[in-house]
Amino acid sequence: MAVNRRDFLKGAAGGGAALATAAVATAPAQARENKPMPPNAVGLLYDSTLCIGCKACVAGCKEANDLPPDFNTAEQLWDTPIDIGPKTFNVIKLYASGTAEHKDQEENGFAFVKKSCMHCVDPSCVSVCPVSAMTKDPQTGIVGYDPDICIGCRYCVLSCPFGVPQAEYDTPTPKIKKCEMCRHRQAEGKIPACAEVCPTGATVFGPIAAIDAEIARRRAMVPGETATFERRTLGSGDVHEKAAPKYLEHVYGEKEVGGTQFRFMSSVEFEKLGMPALRDKSYPSDSEGIQHTLYSGMIAPAVVFAGLVWAAKRASHVEDEHPEE
Ligand code: SF4
Ligand code: SF4
Ligand code: SF4
């Protein structure tokens, strides 16, 4: 019976889960702690309550990264990405409930959410890459990718808990595509394009320390009272006023999988926005210890890694309530 690639990967993940379970049982002492935040870490803060769904960040990202249109209609006239992919590093999605009348409300309301690489503090994609094509900058923490080193194994695709790395499918020499926090722009003293073009400051760029301070400031806001919000970069002084929303206490990315450098604030529960419910411990903190045991048995570490992610997602029983595009 022919086995296609999808079946193979599913089998590998399932088999990996069994192997991972057995390995965790036999090698827990080798697990390590989550890696710490790099000293000069930078990141993005996305505030769903400020987002108006204009998708300027989607267009800005395309332009900054020289990405082609992603046609998804029969006419093939417009760039209409429905999710991130090899031609799209950043999308805005919509959560809608009932009559969808009220912004940032779960019942009969709607909300927007941004999707791109989370720039994990302890990234799975970097951990599993056998040739270090995926790297985490030791200073800024930006997770970058080198296509000249990549051998096309797609372990990074399997391992990412957010489904971010995307393999090209329409070229004989496929590479991986993903957001690299516009590191080419940052090297020129610019900020990521999605933050640069955002008209409301829903996406702002800054050092992680400034993002943490801004999150604390917003958490302390009194809902309904006039508050100020910066555009583009924290500390830019480009401020506008708006009534403070009622934020969730949970800030997505503060703890998930050991923390991420892309953080989210919202008034609508993150699972409703399609964000996966994940544990606080990074997956590499378990899998790298397990790998040392498995190498002696010649079991591919990435297969085990994929199994760990698969098993964790199954265990979390996340309701499949992904928002519509
Ligand atoms: S979100 Fe995925 S691709 Fe991005 S750093 Fe984390 S593991 Fe890597
Ligand atoms: S940081 Fe750059 S590559 Fe990443 S989503 Fe924003 S514009 Fe796109
Ligand atoms: S540019 Fe800003 S307001 Fe517009 S969709 Fe993107 S994040 Fe939202």
Side-chain angles (χ1 to χ4, degrees), residues 116-120 123-126 134 143 156 159-165 178:
S116 58
C117 178
M118 303 291 286
H119 295 275
C120 304
S124 308
C125 59
V126 171
M134 285 284 181
V143 177
C156 57
S159 71
C160 175
F162 302 100
V164 167
K178 77 166 201 74

Side-chain angles (χ1 to χ4, degrees), residues 46 50-57 92 198-200 202-203:
Y46 172 77
L50 296 176
C51 184
I52 56 174
C54 67
K55 300 188 180 180
C57 54
I92 295 293
C198 180
T200 64
T203 300

Side-chain angles (χ1 to χ4, degrees), residues 6-325:
R6 184 185 177 89
D7 290 340
F8 170 78
L9 293 174
K10 277 172 67 179
L19 287 168
T21 304
V24 166
T26 57
Q30 295 190 25
R32 60 160 173 78
E33 296 300 310
N34 293 340
K35 286 192 173 167
M37 186 70 75
N40 299 312
V42 291
L44 291 163
L45 173 61
Y46 172 77
D47 186 332
S48 175
T49 72
L50 296 176
C51 184
I52 56 174
C54 67
K55 300 188 180 180
C57 54
V58 180
C61 178
K62 288 245 166 177
E63 187 179 1
N65 291 285
D66 201 19
L67 295 169
D70 193 356
F71 296 124
N72 285 291
T73 59
E75 299 82 11
Q76 302 222 337
L77 286 174
W78 310 104
D79 182 29
T80 50
I82 52 177
D83 206 339
I84 57 170
K87 299 172 181 171
T88 304
F89 297 170
N90 172 49
V91 286
I92 295 293
K93 295 191 165 198
L94 171 70
Y95 161 78
S97 150
T99 58
E101 289 173 78
H102 309 289
K103 185 161 187 309
D104 303 314
Q105 198 169 293
E106 291 187 7
E107 298 296 323
N108 294 322
F110 67 98
F112 299 107
V113 66
K114 187 178 189 293
K115 181 174 178 183
S116 58
C117 178
M118 303 291 286
H119 295 275
C120 304
V121 176
D122 194 354
S124 308
C125 59
V126 171
S127 176
V128 299
C129 182
V131 293
S132 297
M134 285 284 181
T135 53
K136 185 163 182 72
D137 187 289
Q139 290 296 318
T140 65
I142 294 171
V143 177
Y145 167 72
D146 186 341
D148 294 333
I149 297 176
C150 177
I151 56 172
C153 68
R154 305 186 187 186
Y155 282 0
C156 57
V157 177
L158 277 171
S159 71
C160 175
F162 302 100
V164 167
Q166 302 284 318
E168 290 177 311
Y169 47 79
D170 53 359
T171 162
T173 54
K175 296 297 181 190
I176 300 300
K177 297 285 190 171
K178 77 166 201 74
C179 155
E180 296 178 80
M181 214 193 289
C182 285
R183 59 176 174 159
H184 62 299
R185 285 174 57 89
Q186 293 192 51
E188 298 170 352
K190 300 175 183 168
I191 65 171
C194 53
E196 178 73 46
V197 301
C198 180
T200 64
T203 300
V204 283
F205 173 74
I208 286 294
I211 287 175
D212 282 342
E214 179 63 10
I215 287 169
R217 189 183 76 89
R218 293 187 193 187
R219 272 187 173 133
M221 288 176 177
V222 178
E225 282 191 1
T226 302
T228 56
F229 299 90
E230 276 177 304
R231 297 184 184 88
R232 294 199 283 274
T233 309
L234 294 172
S236 67
D238 177 8
V239 170
H240 69 104
E241 290 186 343
K242 180 182 172 295
K246 189 174 189 317
Y247 288 112
L248 297 175
E249 185 64 21
H250 180 192
V251 172
Y252 198 93
E254 278 190 320
K255 293 188 175 162
E256 279 77 9
V257 286
T260 66
Q261 292 175 226
F262 186 4
R263 306 271 176 84
F264 293 71
M265 299 190 80
S266 172
S267 296
V268 171
E269 288 291 342
F270 291 107
E271 287 182 37
K272 290 193 163 27
L273 298 180
M275 309 290 291
L278 297 169
R279 64 185 202 170
D280 294 352
K281 200 154 173 14
S282 79
Y283 293 116
S285 66
D286 280 342
S287 64
E288 286 179 6
I290 295 167
Q291 283 171 27
H292 295 148
T293 304
L294 295 175
Y295 270 126
S296 60
M298 299 300 287
I299 300 166
V303 171
V304 176
F305 199 99
L308 275 172
V309 174
W310 177 83
K313 283 186 173 174
R314 249 179 92 93
S316 70
H317 294 298
V318 178
E319 199 177 331
D320 191 12
E321 206 173 337
H322 292 284
E324 298 164 13
E325 204 268 334

